[in-house]
Amino acid sequence: MGGGSTGLFLSIIIAETILSDRDYGLFSIVVTTILVLSAGGVLSLEQVLIRLAIINEGESGDARRVSIPKWLIPLSLLACLLASSVATYFVSSVFLSKELKVPLFAIFFACALSLLVSAIYRINREFVLSQLVLNLWRIGAGFIFFILFLTERYFFHIDVELYTVVDVLSVWCVVATVPFVFVIFRNDIYFGLGKEFFAFFFGFFLSVLVVIFLNNFDKYMAGLSVSVESAGSYFYWFTLLIYPFSMMAAFISMRKLVDYKVKFSFDRFRRQVFQYSLISSFVGALYFSAVLFFSGFFSPPEISWSLILLFYGVCILKIAYSLLSSAFGAVSNSSSIIRSNILFVFMVGVIFFVHGYAKTLEGVAILLFLLLFIRSISFYVELRVQFSRV
């Protein structure tokens, strides 16, 4: 996970120095789409697969046999194909040239397929391989941009174009993913998909849809309603300022999920949210100051103080949200999860109907802050109502 995060971070920073403003903006759209497919490219069927898999530990506890529903693998592969095709059509038609359809599809399909492969490795408790296959494209992107940077600056002094990046990355994604694909057919199968399949699919699909939207809508909006060049600038500063806090939030959420499953006290939890928010505001102030100071030695895209302050607020909210989402996932009941997701979808519709599409990067950041705040409040209220009855 660390290698993948480092590779992605480096590729985004290096790409800004060797690509034109427009190409970098388009690159940010491609990366955003890869992140979408890396989280929802199987349309949540990988979560259903994990939930419905039958694991027999055996008498000794070592001889594990994993059985999965027969039709779930073909459905998952079909979902990968569908999601990748839609993503390719959207990106190539709206943002990029149609000439890039084949390499884009190769990248998108490989990344969607890696999500399914990762889930099967998780079922078999091969967690290192599970994380590795998910991060292969990130590691490859970092390595590719490092080589291109050296080539452009010290060897041939050629202009690097987005077409070259997409072509090389597509080859890497296919070659790196293929050796892992055969794990899909390794486990036993059993017949039948019961009624619980549809219940799990609907619940997981809605949750994944909400998370994907919340994490990525702002990058697409920056490119669609402002400009492609502005999308690149937004993406660059988002990565530099918010991405480290997103990683911290993911770590906190993963760790607290287990803690809250073992023992949960709402009063103690409320104090934790306040304490973590206070600490993150202090750490955020120091980090933002350091980044802005050292960025003066380079030539980064311009950023307004209002956007900096909005990003600062988003960072604090992300840490608080990580606690709220982990607690909600650990102790809330199914009706609360469905209700909160439906409420969020409704509020998204209301906000976009009233506010409309943002015309500036600050407007995009305001929408991100509002939606993250509403999501956090809905989790808090659901938890408070649930535990006020106890």
Side-chain angles (χ1 to χ4, degrees), residues 107-291:
I107 295 171
F108 295 160
F109 185 73
C111 291
L113 193 61
S114 68
L115 181 61
L116 174 61
V117 172
S118 175
I120 294 176
Y121 275 126
R122 284 173 61 191
I123 295 172
N124 288 276
R125 291 185 177 175
E126 297 177 78
F127 300 114
V128 174
L129 289 174
S130 175
Q131 285 299 308
L132 175 62
V133 73
L134 268 182
N135 286 284
L136 282 172
W137 75 269
R138 294 177 171 90
I139 296 170
F143 181 74
I144 289 168
F145 271 104
F146 181 70
I147 296 299
L148 289 174
F149 175 78
L150 294 179
T151 302
E152 191 264 346
R153 290 297 171 92
Y154 301 107
F155 295 105
F156 300 108
H157 303 287
I158 58 173
D159 293 330
V160 179
E161 295 184 347
L162 180 66
Y163 296 92
T164 304
V165 174
V166 172
D167 286 339
V168 175
L169 186 59
S170 66
V171 173
W172 164 261
C173 287
V174 172
V175 171
T177 305
V178 165
F180 297 93
V181 169
F182 299 102
V183 73
I184 293 174
F185 310 102
R186 188 173 74 181
N187 299 121
D188 297 333
I189 59 173
Y190 69 88
F191 290 89
L193 285 175
K195 294 180 180 180
E196 70 273 14
F197 165 78
F198 298 99
F200 284 129
F201 173 71
F202 176 75
F204 285 131
F205 180 72
L206 193 57
S207 296
V208 168
L209 199 64
V210 168
V211 170
I212 288 175
F213 177 83
L214 195 57
N215 288 338
N216 300 284
F217 86 93
D218 52 325
K219 288 85 170 177
Y220 288 119
M221 182 175 286
L224 288 169
S225 61
V226 186
S227 69
V228 170
E229 291 80 3
S230 296
S233 175
Y234 182 93
F235 189 73
Y236 178 88
W237 285 109
F238 186 97
T239 302
L240 204 59
L241 295 175
I242 297 180
Y243 186 70
F245 286 84
S246 298
M247 297 303 300
M248 284 190 285
F251 176 78
I252 292 170
S253 180
M254 180 177 62
R255 184 167 182 175
K256 289 297 181 181
L257 180 66
V258 178
D259 294 342
Y260 293 150
K261 267 189 169 293
V262 175
K263 183 179 180 181
F264 183 81
S265 166
F266 183 76
D267 291 334
R268 186 169 178 271
F269 167 74
R270 185 166 51 186
R271 289 194 298 271
Q272 278 188 337
V273 172
F274 176 76
Q275 291 167 356
Y276 275 68
S277 300
L278 194 63
I279 293 171
S280 63
S281 64
F282 177 71
V283 173
L286 292 177
Y287 177 74
F288 273 49
S289 299
V291 169

